[in-house]
Amino acid sequence: MRKITLSAALVVALVAAPPALAAPVAPDAFDGDLACAEVTADGNVAGATGQTWCGSIRASDDITSTLSAPLPSDRSTTKTFDGVPLDVNVAFPAGGSAPYPVVGMYHGYGGSKSSFRSMQRWLDQGYATYSLSQRGFGESCGSQDARDADPAGCAKGYLHLMDVRYEVRDSQLLLGELVDEGLVEPDKIAATGGSYGGGMSLEMAALRDRVMLADNTLVPWESPDGTPMSLAVATPTVPWSELTYALAPNGHNLDYIEDAGYWGRAGVMKESYVQGLYTSGWKAPIGTDPRADIPGWKARLDQGEPYDDDPFVDDMITEINTYHSAYGVPHDEAPAPLLISSGFTDDLFPVNEATRFYNRTRAEHPDSPLALFFASYGHPRGQSQGNVLQAQTDLENEWVAHYLKGTGPAPASDVTTYTQTCPNGTDGGGPHTAPDWASIAPGEIRVVDDGGAETIDPDGGDTAVGAAFNPISLPTGATACTTAAGAEETGAASYELPPAPAGGYTVMGAATVIARVELPEGDDTSELAARLVDVSPDGATKTLIERGLWRPESGGPQVFQLFANGWKVEQGHVLRLELLPRDASSQTPGGFLANYGRPSNDQRPVTVSDVDLRVPVLEAPGSLGGLVTDPAPKVLPERPGVKLAPGYEAVGAVAIRGDIELAGKPEAKGRKLRVKLGCDGDANYSCRKARLKLVGAPKGKHARGKNAVIARGSGIRVDAGATDAVKLKLTKRGRKLFGGRRAVGKLRTEVFIRGEPAGFTTTRRAGKR
């Protein structure tokens, strides 16, 4: 690796200048692959004089600064580990001397490297800046001209969808080359960016000081010359943490459990988003690379249900969540310090992508610096609120300054939120702060519906409302303040909170729904969509506050959350939960950008009952005339090893379905056996229906085999917190033991519940003690 090469003129300038005014190093970066020039006059980039720019200046950058030498106008590439040419820009601040702390700036999906104009934020603060066009985008093999310029190098230059083994490794290698050239510090590196760049930043933070090779092994991050390297801080904006869930949620990402990794059935594709994103980037031909089979993955999602038990679908989910998502990076090591910013009204990467990573990290690495910043911005329907953008910028500057320069005290690992506001363009409400996500909303408004079952019709819902609330549609998509007709939608199930009292209240977090869901026998295709809407006092209009897509199981209670938001419900307004057969502008899939959620291939009637809606609010328990209560214990889904996330210890948790337990000694009377059963309401939200079998024998005898069964029953149900007595028919053996000439007074009995041994007890004949 060639070290820094200086021009004769620059050597003279460096020698002549006093140290405090030393000009920045101006090499030809990446062993001469990138030309560099010093800015000699600002032009239209204020404050740029004295900076060194290495790379290319496109006509679209609209830069009129004067340079000491011309830079290319098309591309400025250097080769990565597998020979792919990557288009890169690097810049160094005026003043100071190398090596510099460096800020990596990573672009969104469909974008390209940062211009020198956009690098000014960090250059003005004394950092070097680094940016590249990711594989398959821009001049990193994304354009036909780039592929024509280097056909062999671009053979593998297609996008890998932010694979830690490719896109992330590319930047780790190039940053290492800058270290070896003496230009940047090996342990003063920041990662920043939004959307695709947010995913990149979060994956780099998860790896921290490790690199994943193409054979899936992890090795220490070192420069090509062997200098140890590590990421010092990351500030991802609107990232994903698990890409499959972000693009096709199934309803199982709960913001109060320790591990909300993808599990259960394949979800519901965000159709308009996936269709829109797919149009960008250069991709491998379908089926040619199982690690980057973006055309094949999309084709399978387009094909639709059923997804269950499909090996291709299972492999797709595993590949994407393991290697294209920060959550899949081995997490035995703490991530780099993290400030994660996410958008409440972002319908692509909502805030549960951040809370998933946050909760597991706090459980496993409680001392790791990690803060959350949530507001109404990001991808559509996100807003642009001036005070929010300034607050985010200030907070990011604070985190980067502390971890790259040691400036100021360590930033707080807390949570900051701002609310959605209407009309668009107004400042966000807040800030609201708390030490953690669990305590951001101290109160809860809860409605439990016991009005009987509701059937969600396959053709239900208003497609005009679905079209109005579609964030990606033609000619314009929905905004956070879009309204639709406020009437209840035909064929949907609706549940309303009481009208907001004087002063209103502020939603802060994710609405949770617990409900019994029944699907028709053999149904492996149906879905549900949920919306939480704010209905105007006259009922004429409604505003979308939260939404979610859900692939339900059949039978028993289930728990599901909508995407969280912050929203002030004004006096007289009503929050309504709508459960629908789809969140779409048509009843069938397809049609470019037509549907937020892809409609099912074969939607069937879905029955819901016992709906329990819980809405977190900023108001304290007991306020608003008792409307606001303490948060109820969190309901844990039926998943092996599921645990409550840190911070919720005071709230507590119950299992969504526990097991019925024996609550007393069975007693025989006549031809019946009376058994008292209970469902522990302190531990369970509900209990499974039970099969009960009692096997008994007189004292001194052994109860063995089916001939020892004295009573059995099935379909037995006990409500949480209740104790019920059920009567079972005695078997022939049971009647003989308790009613014959040689009737016994009591038996030693073994009880089986759901086929599992539940312990021994004594069974008595009525009247015998």
Side-chain angles (χ1 to χ4, degrees):
M1 176 64 62
R2 184 177 70 81
K3 301 299 181 181
I4 304 169
T5 301
L6 303 178
S7 68
L10 188 56
V11 170
V12 172
L14 284 172
V15 170
L21 300 175
V25 175
D28 291 330
F30 299 113
D31 206 15
D33 288 344
L34 266 64
C36 298
E38 184 178 347
V39 181
T40 58
D42 286 358
N44 61 358
V45 183
T49 299
Q51 295 174 1
T52 300
W53 296 352
C54 304
S56 59
I57 299 177
R58 302 158 296 190
S60 59
D61 294 340
D62 186 28
I63 290 176
T64 63
S65 302
T66 303
L67 304 180
S68 61
L71 295 179
S73 60
D74 50 2
R75 67 187 67 88
S76 47
T77 62
T78 188
K79 295 294 183 77
T80 186
F81 65 91
D82 58 355
V84 173
L86 299 174
D87 189 24
V88 183
N89 277 350
V90 181
F92 304 94
S97 59
Y100 296 95
V102 60
V103 176
M105 302 171 65
Y106 302 108
H107 65 76
Y109 194 88
S112 59
K113 66 181 183 182
S114 298
S115 71
F116 296 113
R117 181 200 295 272
S118 63
M119 290 179 168
Q120 294 306 304
R121 169 187 173 186
W122 300 111
L123 289 167
D124 287 346
Q125 297 178 61
Y127 306 107
T129 52
Y130 157 86
S131 184
L132 83 165
S133 296
Q134 302 285 5
R135 292 170 180 248
F137 292 112
E139 295 305 304
S140 294
C141 303
S143 73
Q144 189 62 55
D145 285 346
R147 295 193 290 275
D148 290 344
D150 190 352
C154 283
K156 296 181 180 179
Y158 46 83
L159 70 97
H160 283 67
L161 204 60
M162 201 52 71
D163 192 323
V164 293
R165 300 162 298 186
Y166 293 91
E167 282 93 345
V168 177
R169 186 181 172 192
D170 289 338
S171 282
Q172 290 175 313
L173 172 66
L174 297 186
L175 286 165
E177 292 186 8
L178 294 176
V179 166
D180 287 342
E181 292 179 337
L183 298 174
V184 302
E185 296 185 68
D187 57 354
K188 300 299 182 185
I189 302 170
T192 69
S195 188
Y196 201 58
M200 169 80 170
S201 301
L202 192 57
E203 289 177 20
M204 289 190 74
L207 287 164
R208 191 170 188 167
D209 59 2
R210 300 169 293 173
V211 174
M212 184 171 285
L213 304 179
D215 64 1
N216 307 333
T217 59
L218 284 171
V219 298
W221 183 9
E222 296 178 344
S223 73
D225 286 353
T227 300
M229 298 182 63
S230 63
L231 193 77
V233 63
T235 62
T237 298
V238 292
W240 73 89
S241 61
E242 200 170 58
L243 189 55
T244 299
Y245 193 96
L247 298 179
N250 65 6
H252 287 160
N253 184 356
L254 304 177
D255 70 356
Y256 55 79
I257 61 175
E258 181 179 310
D259 179 5
Y262 206 95
W263 64 281
R265 304 178 64 201
V268 180
M269 177 174 64
K270 296 177 182 177
E271 189 172 38
S272 58
Y273 262 116
V274 171
Q275 287 178 338
L277 291 169
Y278 185 75
T279 61
S280 298
W282 185 54
K283 309 168 190 68
I286 189 168
T288 58
D289 186 347
R291 297 181 170 199
D293 191 15
I294 298 165
W297 298 337
K298 180 176 181 293
R300 183 62 190 90
L301 290 174
D302 285 341
Q303 182 183 350
E305 304 87 357
Y307 299 123
D308 297 348
D309 302 319
D310 183 332
F312 185 90
V313 173
D314 294 341
D315 291 345
M316 173 180 67
I317 292 172
T318 299
E319 167 67 29
I320 295 174
N321 288 347
T322 304
Y323 302 110
H324 308 254
S325 303
Y327 204 72
V329 172
H331 42 96
D332 52 310
E333 176 180 306
L338 271 165
L339 167 64
I340 307 177
S341 301
S342 292
F344 278 139
T345 48
D346 186 329
D347 288 330
L348 179 60
F349 300 147
V351 302
N352 61 6
E353 290 300 309
T355 55
R356 176 196 292 115
F357 194 91
Y358 172 85
N359 284 332
R360 188 182 69 182
T361 300
R362 292 186 71 238
E364 296 179 346
H365 307 288
D367 297 326
S368 183
L370 176 54
L372 299 178
F373 182 93
F374 292 163
S376 178
Y377 69 133
H379 303 91
R381 298 171 287 119
Q383 298 179 288
S384 179
Q385 300 167 316
N387 65 328
V388 166
L389 298 179
Q390 187 60 57
Q392 181 192 5
T393 298
D394 292 345
L395 198 56
E396 288 175 343
N397 290 346
E398 179 185 347
W399 276 72
V400 172
H402 177 78
Y403 288 103
L404 292 196
K405 293 181 176 179
T407 303
S413 289
D414 59 6
V415 175
T416 302
T417 66
Y418 290 80
T419 63
Q420 170 189 345
T421 51
C422 290
N424 290 310
T426 54
D427 280 351
H432 307 285
T433 60
D436 56 23
W437 180 241
S439 57
I440 192 69
E444 182 174 271
I445 300 177
R446 184 180 180 189
V447 170
V448 179
D449 180 82
D450 54 3
E454 296 278 352
T455 298
I456 300 169
D457 190 280
D459 298 323
D462 186 341
T463 55
V465 176
F469 289 151
N470 183 1
I472 305 292
S473 61
L474 298 175
T476 58
T479 72
C481 299
T482 295
T483 60
E488 292 190 19
E489 298 183 38
T490 305
S494 297
Y495 307 89
E496 293 185 345
L497 272 63
Y505 58 85
T506 300
V507 176
M508 186 56 67
T512 302
V513 179
I514 306 104
R516 293 185 180 274
V517 181
E518 297 292 339
L519 305 176
E521 184 175 355
D523 183 0
D524 57 0
T525 59
S526 290
E527 64 186 64
L528 286 178
R531 298 191 194 117
L532 187 70
V533 295
D534 181 318
V535 183
S536 61
D538 62 2
T541 63
K542 61 187 177 186
T543 303
L544 179 60
I545 308 307
E546 298 183 5
R547 72 192 330 162
L549 299 169
W550 185 7
R551 184 78 69 187
E553 310 280 347
S554 185
Q558 297 170 51
V559 59
F560 159 75
Q561 277 188 326
L562 285 69
F563 306 149
N565 196 3
W567 171 256
K568 177 66 179 293
V569 182
E570 300 291 353
Q571 179 178 349
H573 287 240
V574 171
L575 281 191
R576 177 194 300 151
L577 171 68
E578 300 175 335
L579 298 180
L580 303 139
R582 66 191 62 81
D583 190 346
S585 56
S586 67
Q587 295 183 352
T588 56
F592 186 63
L593 307 183
N595 304 306
Y596 175 63
R598 182 189 186 278
S600 170
N601 285 347
D602 184 19
Q603 183 72 21
R604 303 184 191 179
V606 178
T607 302
V608 294
S609 60
D610 300 333
V611 172
D612 181 351
L613 171 62
R614 304 174 179 185
V615 178
V617 296
L618 288 178
E619 285 68 29
S623 61
L624 303 182
L627 178 64
V628 181
T629 64
D630 286 305
K634 301 298 182 182
V635 177
L636 300 180
E638 271 192 293
R639 180 186 182 188
V642 65
K643 297 178 182 178
L644 200 61
Y648 291 96
E649 294 82 4
V651 175
V654 293
I656 193 162
R657 288 203 298 180
D659 286 321
I660 288 172
E661 300 172 336
L662 198 65
K665 297 182 183 299
E667 188 175 67
K669 184 175 183 180
R671 293 174 173 267
K672 301 284 187 179
L673 186 70
R674 185 175 181 272
V675 184
K676 187 177 290 187
L677 301 171
C679 177
D680 184 355
D682 292 331
N684 304 298
Y685 185 82
S686 67
C687 281
R688 302 174 182 87
K689 290 181 180 179
R691 300 189 314 275
L692 192 64
K693 180 175 73 174
L694 290 88
V695 176
K699 186 177 180 180
K701 302 288 185 180
H702 292 286
R704 293 177 178 169
K706 63 182 180 180
N707 292 329
V709 176
I710 61 172
R712 57 162 48 99
S714 62
I716 299 168
R717 181 173 170 180
V718 180
D719 292 332
T723 301
D724 290 338
V726 298
K727 292 183 178 180
L728 307 177
K729 288 184 178 180
L730 287 166
T731 64
K732 184 176 181 180
R733 174 177 173 78
R735 293 195 301 273
K736 180 178 179 182
L737 286 170
F738 285 111
R741 281 186 303 115
R742 299 181 180 179
V744 296
K746 61 182 179 179
L747 300 177
R748 183 173 184 269
T749 306
E750 185 174 9
V751 181
F752 294 82
I753 297 177
R754 295 178 62 86
E756 297 295 327
F760 290 89
T761 186
T762 300
T763 299
R764 293 186 172 90
R765 188 172 57 174
K768 294 286 184 179
R769 289 291 182 269

